[in-house]
Amino acid sequence: MDAQRRGRGDQIDPADQWVLNPNTGEYELRLNPSGTQSPESGTRGSTPPGKAGGSAPPAKASGTRTDVPPQRRRRGAPEEPPPGRRGGRRPVRPKPKKGKKVLMWTGGTMAFVLVGAGGAGYLYLRHLEGNVTTTDIGSAGASNFSKDEAFSILIIGTDKRTGEGNEGYGDKGSSGHADTTILLHVSKDRSNATALSIPRDLIVTIPDCPTKLEDGSEKVVPGQRGVRFNRSLGENGRDPGCTMRTVKENTGIQVDHFMMADFNAVKTLTTAVDGVDVCVEKPVNDKDSKLVLPAGESKVEGEQALAFVRTRKSFGNSGDLDRIKVQQQFLGSLIRKMSSSDTLTSPSKLLKLAEAATKALTVDQAIGNVGTLKDIALELKKVPTKNIAFTTVPVVDNPAETVKATVILNQSKAPQLFDMIKNDVSLTEVKQRKKKEKDAEAARLKGSKAPASEVRVRILNGGADPGSAQKTLQYLQVEEGVTKSENDGNAPAELARTTLEYAPGQADQARRLADIMGLSGSAMKPGESVRNAQGLPAMTLTLGKDFKGAGVKLDAPVETADVDKSTADKVNCAS
């Protein structure tokens, strides 16, 4: 068992590395159990995690005392009373619960990393917050993070040659293009997530991008048509917010937040977990990336791990699309390693991971604080690894090129995949809802149903295609006999899901309309009725973004997108 995990061998419980500062009333981390209290200075020697021989974290504010009590020794060891307190009792400190998880993710050539913990770990996150760099992206993303909604985070890996040992990587003089980009979408119910890789050579439209400058002023970087996706970052001063806007422009998927990292992320994170297992079908000896591996399984970390996710000539047809597949396989392996009991039960590994992860990141201001990072991590922890699907934007060769170097969207496959992500549809088989929830839905649908001619409903468009409300009105009146229906225009706000609101006395009508529309019990919202054009009470049907068209039942089986995909729980070998 390593020394740090066991208090460096002097019988200090790892839980007691958290000590109370009497001036602030908060617990603070002291990682050097063998450090002694200095009567002259009143300070305790300590070493910040991940920095052997380094100095202690800077003082929080003027006037903060540093003479915190020494660490409590394990039960049975002799204990001296603190100076100046004869027989005084030490304040009771809660221990972190065993098994609390720190969840980390890393993506593509770079890393997308989130750190979250409970108990004492939350206090340490306050220190980690100082490691994270933030960028103001204005209105490109969400203003805050919601634990109750679906969310999308754009993971960006740049080819900028910053950081020690990275001088030989990337394009010389690059301002930092979007070399590797993954859109991570997490469903509202946390049952599934989709990691969508976006090829850097995809031809896209880059919209005009309002960009904040270092002096606080703002300029608009003009957009471009028919250019590579990777130019949405770095070129002409484009920031990550511009890359987010480019994703929205070309996929229709709203991006809420971003996380960006450089080459050091893969090196430091894989080293922190003592390497990541990878598999190749045949031996690799790549002179460009300097990757040398035997056939079968190997463990890579540091420079070798970075070489693995950067190499192209050893896999497939030596193109970027095959490199993306290798990166996705690497991601799945890293997620499994970071979620393993070997990592989660090792305090030393968790501390190294936390330091490496936060130092690797640049994020938008909305998530650049410790509380939000913790919330994101805890929400991600709810998603089963078998329901984390990796896929790539469907593309075809650019027909405008004689020598094929770029790709364009595959219009027969890409739109359906984008719609599935927007509507929270999983690419994997997700377990059915809990029995209690299913029973509640069944109860709403169970009971007598009014004749279609007695159903009074007004129809609103709350995110469906333009004209959907009128087409639905015609379908209900002509095909289903719901003659007391009317089109009431657009809803005040867009909805992800179609809903039917009805008053208690309209339950029979609601069940009939739910049967006609294919509405689930969860789509039926008991509430208040409204007055229709004749002044009579009516229900409200709001067509959401999941609406499939007039006459198409909403509970009809969803056609699975015809795309290549893998999941985080499976071991794959690069070929």
Side-chain angles (χ1 to χ4, degrees):
M1 189 172 292
D2 60 85
Q4 185 171 5
R5 183 176 177 186
R6 296 300 304 162
R8 300 190 188 276
D10 66 351
Q11 295 186 327
I12 297 296
D13 191 321
D16 292 328
Q17 292 179 338
W18 296 96
V19 295
L20 182 70
N21 185 323
N23 189 60
T24 64
E26 296 179 344
Y27 290 94
E28 298 176 356
L29 181 68
R30 295 294 182 266
L31 288 182
N32 188 356
S34 59
T36 56
Q37 186 80 8
S38 172
E40 291 81 6
S41 64
T43 60
R44 168 182 290 275
S46 64
T47 303
K51 294 185 179 181
S55 59
K60 293 182 179 179
S62 177
T64 300
R65 289 177 57 184
T66 57
D67 54 335
V68 297
Q71 297 170 0
R72 181 180 64 187
R73 294 189 176 272
R74 292 182 65 85
R75 184 176 299 172
E79 180 176 325
E80 294 293 333
R85 294 182 62 189
R86 295 180 58 86
R89 297 188 62 184
R90 185 177 308 279
V92 177
R93 298 183 293 275
K95 293 185 179 181
K97 293 182 179 179
K98 185 177 181 180
K100 283 289 186 180
K101 295 182 179 179
V102 174
L103 176 67
M104 297 187 174
W105 304 48
T106 182
T109 326
M110 311 300 129
F112 55 91
V113 188
L114 299 172
V115 183
Y122 175 79
L123 301 178
Y124 181 54
L125 285 179
R126 297 183 61 181
H127 157 69
L128 297 178
E129 184 175 321
N131 293 341
V132 181
T133 303
T134 62
T135 295
D136 185 355
I137 57 172
S139 61
S143 59
N144 55 51
F145 173 74
S146 173
K147 294 187 289 185
D148 301 320
E149 299 294 335
F151 62 91
S152 295
I153 299 177
L154 193 65
I155 315 306
I156 307 171
T158 75
D159 58 5
K160 191 172 184 179
R161 299 186 302 168
T162 56
E164 184 178 353
N166 296 325
E167 297 83 3
Y169 301 134
D171 298 329
K172 185 175 181 180
S174 173
S175 56
H177 295 114
D179 185 61
T180 298
T181 307
I182 297 176
L183 178 64
L184 175 66
H185 177 82
V186 181
S187 67
K188 181 176 180 178
D189 63 4
R190 308 301 185 244
S191 66
N192 67 92
T194 300
L196 177 68
S197 293
I198 303 175
R200 66 180 187 180
D201 297 326
L202 175 65
I203 296 299
V204 297
T205 295
I206 300 177
D208 292 345
C209 297
T211 305
K212 293 289 182 75
L213 304 180
E214 291 184 2
D215 62 3
S217 61
E218 182 177 294
K219 75 169 184 178
V220 176
V221 181
Q224 291 178 276
R225 291 181 178 274
V227 297
R228 281 179 166 90
F229 175 83
N230 68 340
R231 296 174 63 181
S232 64
L233 178 70
E235 190 168 298
N236 299 323
R238 293 185 176 113
D239 65 6
C242 189
T243 309
M244 295 168 66
R245 295 177 192 273
T246 301
V247 171
K248 173 68 181 298
E249 176 75 17
N250 293 272
T251 69
I253 302 171
Q254 177 63 52
V255 183
D256 301 307
H257 307 287
F258 85 88
M259 293 184 176
M260 182 171 66
D262 61 15
F263 292 124
N264 278 336
V266 170
K267 294 192 288 185
T268 57
L269 287 170
T270 53
T271 299
V273 296
D274 296 334
V276 174
D277 295 326
V278 297
C279 180
V280 294
E281 289 188 354
K282 58 184 179 179
V284 174
N285 189 352
D286 191 323
K287 295 181 180 179
D288 291 333
S289 67
K290 299 179 175 57
L291 178 66
V292 179
L293 291 176
E297 295 186 2
S298 300
K299 181 181 290 186
V300 296
E301 65 177 275
E303 292 287 348
Q304 194 179 30
L306 181 58
F308 182 81
V309 296
R310 292 189 69 245
T311 193
R312 287 193 294 174
K313 295 185 177 180
S314 297
F315 304 118
N317 61 6
S318 302
D320 189 52
L321 295 179
D322 287 303
R323 184 181 69 161
I324 287 175
K325 293 179 181 178
V326 174
Q327 292 170 349
Q328 292 172 347
Q329 293 165 8
F330 177 85
L331 261 175
S333 180
L334 186 53
I335 289 174
R336 292 192 297 273
K337 183 63 177 286
M338 290 180 169
S339 302
S340 69
S341 58
D342 178 60
T343 299
L344 296 173
T345 57
S346 171
S348 61
K349 286 184 181 179
L350 292 181
L351 291 175
K352 286 191 294 184
L353 276 170
E355 289 291 333
T358 51
K359 288 179 180 177
L361 285 178
T362 297
V363 303
D364 58 285
Q365 291 182 340
I367 61 173
N369 62 80
V370 64
T372 304
L373 289 175
K374 176 180 71 73
D375 288 342
I376 291 175
L378 293 177
E379 293 306 306
L380 282 169
K381 190 171 67 174
K382 298 176 182 178
V383 183
T385 55
K386 68 178 182 179
N387 291 334
I388 301 173
F390 296 97
T391 190
T392 305
V393 171
V395 297
V396 295
D397 288 335
N398 188 352
E401 295 176 330
T402 302
V403 178
K404 304 302 181 184
T406 61
V407 293
I408 62 174
L409 289 179
N410 183 335
Q411 294 297 337
S412 67
K413 295 182 178 181
Q416 182 188 11
L417 176 60
F418 298 155
D419 284 343
M420 291 180 70
I421 293 175
K422 285 189 292 184
N423 293 318
D424 259 9
V425 178
S426 175
L427 297 184
T428 63
E429 292 185 8
V430 179
K431 283 186 177 181
Q432 292 183 334
R433 289 182 297 272
K434 295 178 182 178
K435 184 176 185 300
K436 184 177 180 180
E437 295 175 349
K438 292 177 64 180
D439 289 346
E441 288 198 12
R444 294 192 186 101
L445 295 171
K446 186 177 181 180
S448 60
K449 302 172 184 176
S453 60
E454 294 181 7
V455 173
R456 291 189 297 272
V457 60
R458 66 166 187 166
I459 307 165
L460 300 176
N461 190 332
D465 292 338
S468 292
Q470 183 60 31
K471 292 177 181 177
T472 300
L473 174 67
Q474 294 173 349
Y475 166 75
L476 289 177
Q477 289 184 339
V478 176
E479 301 294 333
E480 298 292 343
V482 185
T483 55
K484 298 176 181 178
S485 52
E486 59 187 50
N487 178 3
D488 209 21
N490 292 328
E494 291 189 352
L495 299 178
R497 303 284 184 180
T498 298
T499 62
L500 174 63
E501 183 176 358
Y502 61 97
Q506 298 170 319
D508 289 0
Q509 296 181 46
R511 284 189 284 267
R512 173 59 65 190
L513 190 59
D515 186 53
I516 293 172
M517 297 290 298
L519 296 173
S520 66
S522 60
M524 300 171 67
K525 307 295 182 183
E528 299 180 356
S529 64
V530 294
R531 295 288 174 177
N532 64 12
Q534 290 74 40
L536 298 174
M539 302 180 295
T540 300
L541 175 66
T542 305
L543 307 178
K545 295 178 180 179
D546 63 336
F547 183 69
K548 302 174 182 179
V552 181
K553 289 183 179 289
L554 283 156
D555 60 359
V558 178
E559 184 179 351
T560 303
D562 181 19
V563 295
D564 292 331
K565 60 180 180 292
S566 61
T567 54
D569 64 321
K570 302 296 184 184
V571 177
N572 296 293
C573 290
S575 59

